[in-house]
Amino acid sequence: RALVSASLDGTVRAFDMLRFRNFQTLVTPSPAQLGCVAVDPSGEIVCAGSRDTYDVYVWNLQTAQLLETLAGHTGPVCCLAFGAGGGGGACTLASGSWDATVKLWDFVSSSSSIESLAHGSDVLALAFSPDGATLAVSTL
């Protein structure tokens, strides 16, 4: 069991909840204020959204290697969520931003946004249904 946190100091920290210690610290390649975090269902991939660079950073939790930097938002990224994919085990990452968009990413097949959903105002929160078929979005 682990708890993962994102920080304005540009780090993501993973804490072992059985031993009560930090076992992994993930760092952005350049200074960034991280405001949200999500872990994929397998527990291997950690993503964090930036308030100032507007990017989403993707790490391997075990190796602490930065796998990708997903760019495309034009405002602070304020929420992230993973949705279960179809039978193949692939996941979709949704990122919500104050630029009034939700971007859906399939970084297993490509690093580009596969869909951008425009909203009338800033996106504040989002969540997938357990089967990954429905995405709920809250806006300002």
Side-chain angles (χ1 to χ4, degrees):
R1 296 205 172 238
L3 171 78
V4 179
S5 68
S7 176
L8 296 179
D9 70 0
T11 63
V12 171
R13 297 179 189 275
F15 297 90
D16 182 329
M17 295 308 293
L18 298 175
R19 296 189 178 109
F20 301 106
R21 66 178 185 89
N22 177 334
F23 70 88
Q24 194 66 275
T25 301
L26 312 173
V27 182
T28 57
S30 58
Q33 295 182 346
L34 303 178
C36 56
V37 66
V39 180
D40 82 321
S42 72
E44 294 178 13
I45 303 295
V46 174
C47 297
S50 172
R51 290 178 161 188
D52 52 359
T53 65
Y54 312 149
D55 293 331
V56 176
Y57 300 94
V58 182
W59 289 275
N60 178 302
L61 182 59
Q62 295 304 315
T63 65
Q65 178 183 4
L66 180 67
L67 302 175
E68 293 189 55
T69 301
L70 305 174
H73 283 292
T74 58
V77 178
C78 62
C79 49
L80 298 168
F82 277 99
C91 285
T92 298
L93 173 69
S95 59
S97 172
W98 292 354
D99 67 5
T101 65
V102 171
K103 295 199 181 291
L104 301 176
W105 310 87
D106 178 8
F107 53 84
V108 173
S109 62
S110 76
S111 63
S112 62
S113 169
I114 57 172
E115 192 168 356
S116 184
L117 310 171
H119 289 76
S121 59
D122 299 357
V123 175
L124 301 178
L126 47 79
F128 278 99
S129 61
D131 65 0
T134 304
L135 176 64
V137 178
S138 170
T139 61
L140 188 61

